[in-house]
Amino acid sequence: MQYKGFTLDPFQAEAIQAIDRQHSVIVTAPTGAGKTVIAEYTVERCIQRQQRVIYTAPIKALSNQKYRDFFAQYGEEVGIVTGDVVINQFAPVLLMTTEIFRNTIFDDVSRLGDVSYVVFDEIHFINDIERGTVWEESLIFAPQHIKFICLSATISNIDQFAGWMQGIREIPIEVVKETTRPVPLHHNLYIDGYGIGSIDDLKQVQVDDQTLVSTLPTPAKILAPTKQRGGGTIASGNLINYIDRQDQLPCLYFCFSRKRCETNAQHYASETNFLDSDQQTEILGHFDRLCRSFNIYDAPNVVSFRKLVRNGVAYHHAGMLPTLKEVVERLFTFGLIQLLFTTETFAVGINMPACTAVFDSLEKYDGISFRYLKAQEYHQMAGRAGRRGIDQIGYTYAKVDPRFADIERIRATTLGAIEPIESQFNLSYSSVLNLYHKYQEQIYEVCTQSLSNYQNVERIQQIDHKYQRVQTQQEKLQEPSCIHDLDPTSQIESYLKTVEWTGEQYQFLKNREREIRRRERGRKYQGIRRKKLAQIGKERRKVNQRLETHLCHSCEMQSSCKQLHRQIQQADKRLQRLVVERERFENFQKEQIQLRLQILRELGYVDQQQLLARGQVAAKINGYEMQITELLFAGLFEGLSEDEINVLAISIVCERRKDRIFYLKMRDSRVRCLLEDANHLLERVRIVEDQYGIPDPLPHLETILSTAMWSWSQGCEFETLKEFADLSDGDFVRSFRLVIDLLRQMRRAVEDHQTFIQKLGRCIDKINRDIVDAERQLRISNDDRNLNTNSVIQT
């Protein structure tokens, strides 16, 4: 089958045929296999049929990239709606984040009436602990006429996932699997102090670090040993040199810290030039042109960054200016950056493969502790290695320190099976309110459609099977009998209790005896001591007599009766545990929703039949619905200036950081009192949540960016923000854009209050300027006429 002049792979043709049949499709295929072609075909067919199509992505950067790609083909027929950007929102082809799509379902489902297909790129994000519920809610509650294209490189339990989807969607769903990578991957370890090897080589190092040098494969002999005089090792310099000599560039070098990305890039750019003079001229021309177009050539980091890219080196992480990140992405697609140090976010969706992927470590800090990467995480990143049509083989190298390496965990990460996706269904207050408004008490039945419930049904079936097996084993146990013609069960239980009581009494008397000997020491107390010890002896004999007079004590059947009774008791306990476990799985979702509804009733958001005024507002806000609703109904926003509203908003969206950072405290006493009052007003929600045992109650307001927002809202330059908080440029931009998103949601929630809506618009305008304006950045990306190819930054 041909498409756009290319012969399709069988799995691509199979998926496209399913689309022609107007079916939904779930496609799992390795990174770089060509899943994007399926999405592109869906868009093209919908345009031909004059139907609308929505393309959702897990991150805004991917939404923006897809918008640029489709805009280049279809122009004004393409639009985008994210928390940052709204362009042509009623276009036939609409790009969205998954959260925006879910919110549209709840806010105004009629806007989806003419949508034929929705593409879910990176559908495995349904497994994400924090955000996975958004994908699940979208699939459950989307109108039934909508068909889905679900794309992923990593779903090991795809048949289970498809079975659940078919159970909740009316339109047939077809599963397409492709397991073969178009470019095979060679997985290697870089063993610190030795060189390139395998897991078996690592194991040998840990056994005897003197024998490995002569047994490693040839590349390792080239590298080994990497020990320096005076101790220490060359971290990975030899590895990069080897990759360069083996013509395995460009290379994506994954680091799990922003600082490591930057320091590594600066080190290698100062040590090595990966470009010839013509390539240097070309990359600097592109860099200068893009920086001038985005108006960032005066930004503090740009001059130093230019020195990196001149040698074919760069870094990419969330702390950078979004525009500078886009410049890096553009340069990488031109094939001019040879060594890119990046965090794991670069592996999500963005179509920028390399020949080689290097892992600075197979461990990362997940916010709680250091842990090894999951197999799914590793393969998502490793999948970027190997460019189709360019490379015959893709290469991965994972750095490990043999002194601390856990071989089995490394094996599970690099060679083990990819973990199955698990439901993360966890309705927010806003979702519960929207569903309660539509379904009232039937909300419980609706939520039985979750993937969690589907997986729990399977778990319940497994529990029932275990229960039957244990019950059968219990029934096969010989029925106990008593030679004294008494009830055998009660007799042996009585004897075991007597044995237990005897042991307790022995210990009690022993402690008393020890205390007497301690207190009544010496000849002076000899008589008293003798009398008291004699009394203890009498009591001990009574205890013995009670045990010895029990019928079971000297019975020849005692041992067999005890063993049989113990087996029956153990079986009973196993059955009881299985019953409890079954009830937990069976009632988990219902109990979670009941808990949320009880809290909402107590706080005055719902009654027994409908949403109350607070609930109607909170249902239109996603993410910070309780904070905004509580403060709105407390009248806190009344009389505030635009700058004060912006400061209050950023204290809501800003997350408390575990690491201490420098920041200037708010000096304006009125604003300080405002934030204190807001925190006090939100305490009523925390108290109720605490009463109901919510594990993560409403967070306190975070004030580390209050002064920075106060100054930005009043018109300060972006470069001065560092004076108010020691945060990276990207963190400032991301936080300000979160505030813009929240203020836009507030505008929709208070649609009947025109004066306040206008004030919120002015609040947004004060923030959404210069480098923070995401829509401006995206429009510049699409407007080649704004690119001045002759501009050069002076260094």
Side-chain angles (χ1 to χ4, degrees), residues 209-232:
D209 63 2
Q210 298 302 315
T211 62
L212 183 66
V213 173
S214 62
T215 60
L216 280 176
T218 302
K221 291 182 181 179
I222 295 172
L223 295 176
T226 60
K227 294 285 184 183
Q228 294 181 9
R229 292 182 180 179

mmCIF file of all heavy atoms in Angstrom, residues 209-232:
data_model
loop_
_atom_site.group_PDB
_atom_site.id
_atom_site.type_symbol
_atom_site.label_atom_id
_atom_site.label_comp_id
_atom_site.label_asym_id
_atom_site.label_seq_id
_atom_site.Cartn_x
_atom_site.Cartn_y
_atom_site.Cartn_z
ATOM 1 N N ASP A 209 37.587 -7.847 39.872
ATOM 2 C CA ASP A 209 37.784 -6.711 38.984
ATOM 3 C C ASP A 209 39.134 -6.745 38.274
ATOM 4 O O ASP A 209 39.463 -5.847 37.513
ATOM 5 C CB ASP A 209 37.635 -5.386 39.742
ATOM 6 C CG ASP A 209 38.689 -5.221 40.824
ATOM 7 O OD1 ASP A 209 39.546 -6.119 40.959
ATOM 8 O OD2 ASP A 209 38.645 -4.206 41.522
ATOM 9 N N GLN A 210 39.933 -7.782 38.462
ATOM 10 C CA GLN A 210 41.202 -7.890 37.755
ATOM 11 C C GLN A 210 41.099 -8.706 36.469
ATOM 12 O O GLN A 210 41.990 -8.671 35.630
ATOM 13 C CB GLN A 210 42.254 -8.542 38.658
ATOM 14 C CG GLN A 210 42.563 -7.747 39.911
ATOM 15 C CD GLN A 210 43.055 -6.344 39.580
ATOM 16 O OE1 GLN A 210 43.900 -6.174 38.703
ATOM 17 N NE2 GLN A 210 42.508 -5.340 40.275
ATOM 18 N N THR A 211 40.025 -9.472 36.318
ATOM 19 C CA THR A 211 39.946 -10.395 35.186
ATOM 20 C C THR A 211 39.211 -9.822 33.999
ATOM 21 O O THR A 211 39.303 -10.343 32.898
ATOM 22 C CB THR A 211 39.238 -11.687 35.607
ATOM 23 O OG1 THR A 211 37.894 -11.375 36.001
ATOM 24 C CG2 THR A 211 39.968 -12.343 36.756
ATOM 25 N N LEU A 212 38.467 -8.736 34.199
ATOM 26 C CA LEU A 212 37.569 -8.294 33.135
ATOM 27 C C LEU A 212 38.304 -7.712 31.936
ATOM 28 O O LEU A 212 37.898 -7.904 30.804
ATOM 29 C CB LEU A 212 36.586 -7.252 33.683
ATOM 30 C CG LEU A 212 35.563 -6.770 32.661
ATOM 31 C CD1 LEU A 212 34.645 -7.914 32.266
ATOM 32 C CD2 LEU A 212 34.762 -5.606 33.170
ATOM 33 N N VAL A 213 39.420 -7.028 32.166
ATOM 34 C CA VAL A 213 40.085 -6.320 31.073
ATOM 35 C C VAL A 213 40.406 -7.243 29.910
ATOM 36 O O VAL A 213 40.260 -6.893 28.742
ATOM 37 C CB VAL A 213 41.375 -5.626 31.579
ATOM 38 C CG1 VAL A 213 42.150 -5.029 30.421
ATOM 39 C CG2 VAL A 213 41.013 -4.562 32.598
ATOM 40 N N SER A 214 40.779 -8.477 30.205
ATOM 41 C CA SER A 214 41.157 -9.401 29.139
ATOM 42 C C SER A 214 39.972 -10.129 28.534
ATOM 43 O O SER A 214 40.123 -10.839 27.549
ATOM 44 C CB SER A 214 42.153 -10.429 29.688
ATOM 45 O OG SER A 214 41.541 -11.181 30.717
ATOM 46 N N THR A 215 38.782 -9.984 29.121
ATOM 47 C CA THR A 215 37.633 -10.750 28.639
ATOM 48 C C THR A 215 36.565 -9.898 27.983
ATOM 49 O O THR A 215 35.673 -10.423 27.343
ATOM 50 C CB THR A 215 36.982 -11.528 29.796
ATOM 51 O OG1 THR A 215 36.538 -10.600 30.786
ATOM 52 C CG2 THR A 215 37.961 -12.496 30.422
ATOM 53 N N LEU A 216 36.639 -8.576 28.140
ATOM 54 C CA LEU A 216 35.627 -7.727 27.523
ATOM 55 C C LEU A 216 35.757 -7.766 26.004
ATOM 56 O O LEU A 216 36.841 -8.032 25.468
ATOM 57 C CB LEU A 216 35.772 -6.275 28.001
ATOM 58 C CG LEU A 216 35.188 -5.946 29.372
ATOM 59 C CD1 LEU A 216 35.498 -4.501 29.726
ATOM 60 C CD2 LEU A 216 33.698 -6.182 29.423
ATOM 61 N N PRO A 217 34.642 -7.463 25.279
ATOM 62 C CA PRO A 217 34.719 -7.422 23.821
ATOM 63 C C PRO A 217 35.670 -6.323 23.352
ATOM 64 O O PRO A 217 36.093 -5.468 24.121
ATOM 65 C CB PRO A 217 33.281 -7.126 23.405
ATOM 66 C CG PRO A 217 32.614 -6.591 24.628
ATOM 67 C CD PRO A 217 33.297 -7.206 25.784
ATOM 68 N N THR A 218 35.977 -6.329 22.072
ATOM 69 C CA THR A 218 37.000 -5.446 21.508
ATOM 70 C C THR A 218 36.811 -3.974 21.866
ATOM 71 O O THR A 218 37.775 -3.313 22.246
ATOM 72 C CB THR A 218 37.043 -5.611 19.980
ATOM 73 O OG1 THR A 218 37.318 -6.982 19.693
ATOM 74 C CG2 THR A 218 38.134 -4.740 19.382
ATOM 75 N N PRO A 219 35.594 -3.395 21.755
ATOM 76 C CA PRO A 219 35.461 -1.982 22.101
ATOM 77 C C PRO A 219 35.945 -1.677 23.504
ATOM 78 O O PRO A 219 36.517 -0.632 23.766
ATOM 79 C CB PRO A 219 33.964 -1.725 21.950
ATOM 80 C CG PRO A 219 33.500 -2.750 20.966
ATOM 81 C CD PRO A 219 34.333 -3.953 21.256
ATOM 82 N N ALA A 220 35.714 -2.612 24.439
ATOM 83 C CA ALA A 220 36.148 -2.364 25.811
ATOM 84 C C ALA A 220 37.661 -2.315 25.904
ATOM 85 O O ALA A 220 38.221 -1.567 26.688
ATOM 86 C CB ALA A 220 35.587 -3.437 26.731
ATOM 87 N N LYS A 221 38.332 -3.124 25.113
ATOM 88 C CA LYS A 221 39.792 -3.092 25.140
ATOM 89 C C LYS A 221 40.312 -1.742 24.653
ATOM 90 O O LYS A 221 41.346 -1.267 25.075
ATOM 91 C CB LYS A 221 40.356 -4.221 24.268
ATOM 92 C CG LYS A 221 40.103 -5.627 24.850
ATOM 93 C CD LYS A 221 40.709 -6.692 23.975
ATOM 94 C CE LYS A 221 40.450 -8.077 24.538
ATOM 95 N NZ LYS A 221 41.007 -9.144 23.680
ATOM 96 N N ILE A 222 39.557 -1.132 23.739
ATOM 97 C CA ILE A 222 39.934 0.198 23.262
ATOM 98 C C ILE A 222 39.839 1.200 24.397
ATOM 99 O O ILE A 222 40.666 2.074 24.572
ATOM 100 C CB ILE A 222 39.035 0.629 22.091
ATOM 101 C CG1 ILE A 222 39.273 -0.283 20.885
ATOM 102 C CG2 ILE A 222 39.277 2.080 21.717
ATOM 103 C CD1 ILE A 222 38.304 -0.050 19.752
ATOM 104 N N LEU A 223 38.798 1.021 25.212
ATOM 105 C CA LEU A 223 38.546 2.006 26.259
ATOM 106 C C LEU A 223 39.275 1.697 27.554
ATOM 107 O O LEU A 223 39.659 2.577 28.280
ATOM 108 C CB LEU A 223 37.038 2.063 26.554
ATOM 109 C CG LEU A 223 36.162 2.553 25.416
ATOM 110 C CD1 LEU A 223 34.710 2.453 25.817
ATOM 111 C CD2 LEU A 223 36.505 3.965 25.035
ATOM 112 N N ALA A 224 39.427 0.437 27.859
ATOM 113 C CA ALA A 224 39.909 0.067 29.181
ATOM 114 C C ALA A 224 41.439 0.140 29.246
ATOM 115 O O ALA A 224 42.132 -0.152 28.276
ATOM 116 C CB ALA A 224 39.445 -1.344 29.523
ATOM 117 N N PRO A 225 42.014 0.488 30.417
ATOM 118 C CA PRO A 225 41.286 0.980 31.570
ATOM 119 C C PRO A 225 41.100 2.493 31.505
ATOM 120 O O PRO A 225 41.859 3.163 30.831
ATOM 121 C CB PRO A 225 42.192 0.606 32.745
ATOM 122 C CG PRO A 225 43.564 0.719 32.155
ATOM 123 C CD PRO A 225 43.444 0.290 30.712
ATOM 124 N N THR A 226 40.104 3.022 32.201
ATOM 125 C CA THR A 226 39.892 4.472 32.204
ATOM 126 C C THR A 226 40.321 5.097 33.526
ATOM 127 O O THR A 226 40.008 6.237 33.790
ATOM 128 C CB THR A 226 38.415 4.808 31.955
ATOM 129 O OG1 THR A 226 37.626 4.213 32.982
ATOM 130 C CG2 THR A 226 37.962 4.290 30.615
ATOM 131 N N LYS A 227 40.968 4.313 34.359
ATOM 132 C CA LYS A 227 41.429 4.860 35.634
ATOM 133 C C LYS A 227 42.518 5.917 35.414
ATOM 134 O O LYS A 227 43.398 5.765 34.571
ATOM 135 C CB LYS A 227 41.994 3.750 36.515
ATOM 136 C CG LYS A 227 40.962 2.711 36.982
ATOM 137 C CD LYS A 227 40.081 3.269 38.056
ATOM 138 C CE LYS A 227 39.113 2.198 38.575
ATOM 139 N NZ LYS A 227 38.196 2.733 39.564
ATOM 140 N N GLN A 228 42.433 6.993 36.184
ATOM 141 C CA GLN A 228 43.459 8.029 36.133
ATOM 142 C C GLN A 228 44.463 7.803 37.260
ATOM 143 O O GLN A 228 44.157 7.185 38.276
ATOM 144 C CB GLN A 228 42.822 9.407 36.312
ATOM 145 C CG GLN A 228 41.904 9.809 35.174
ATOM 146 C CD GLN A 228 41.342 11.194 35.425
ATOM 147 O OE1 GLN A 228 41.762 11.886 36.323
ATOM 148 N NE2 GLN A 228 40.404 11.595 34.609
ATOM 149 N N ARG A 229 45.646 8.336 37.075
ATOM 150 C CA ARG A 229 46.613 8.294 38.158
ATOM 151 C C ARG A 229 46.103 9.121 39.328
ATOM 152 O O ARG A 229 45.503 10.162 39.147
ATOM 153 C CB ARG A 229 47.965 8.837 37.695
ATOM 154 C CG ARG A 229 48.662 7.940 36.672
ATOM 155 C CD ARG A 229 50.018 8.507 36.305
ATOM 156 N NE ARG A 229 50.687 7.660 35.334
ATOM 157 C CZ ARG A 229 51.872 7.933 34.819
ATOM 158 N NH1 ARG A 229 52.523 9.022 35.206
ATOM 159 N NH2 ARG A 229 52.422 7.120 33.947
ATOM 160 N N GLY A 230 46.402 8.615 40.521
ATOM 161 C CA GLY A 230 45.976 9.353 41.698
ATOM 162 C C GLY A 230 44.530 9.084 42.060
ATOM 163 O O GLY A 230 43.958 9.778 42.879
ATOM 164 N N GLY A 231 43.937 8.057 41.474
ATOM 165 C CA GLY A 231 42.547 7.718 41.800
ATOM 166 C C GLY A 231 41.575 8.469 40.923
ATOM 167 O O GLY A 231 41.924 9.371 40.160
ATOM 168 N N GLY A 232 40.302 8.085 41.007
ATOM 169 C CA GLY A 232 39.253 8.718 40.213
ATOM 170 C C GLY A 232 39.174 8.093 38.838
ATOM 171 O O GLY A 232 40.057 7.360 38.394
#
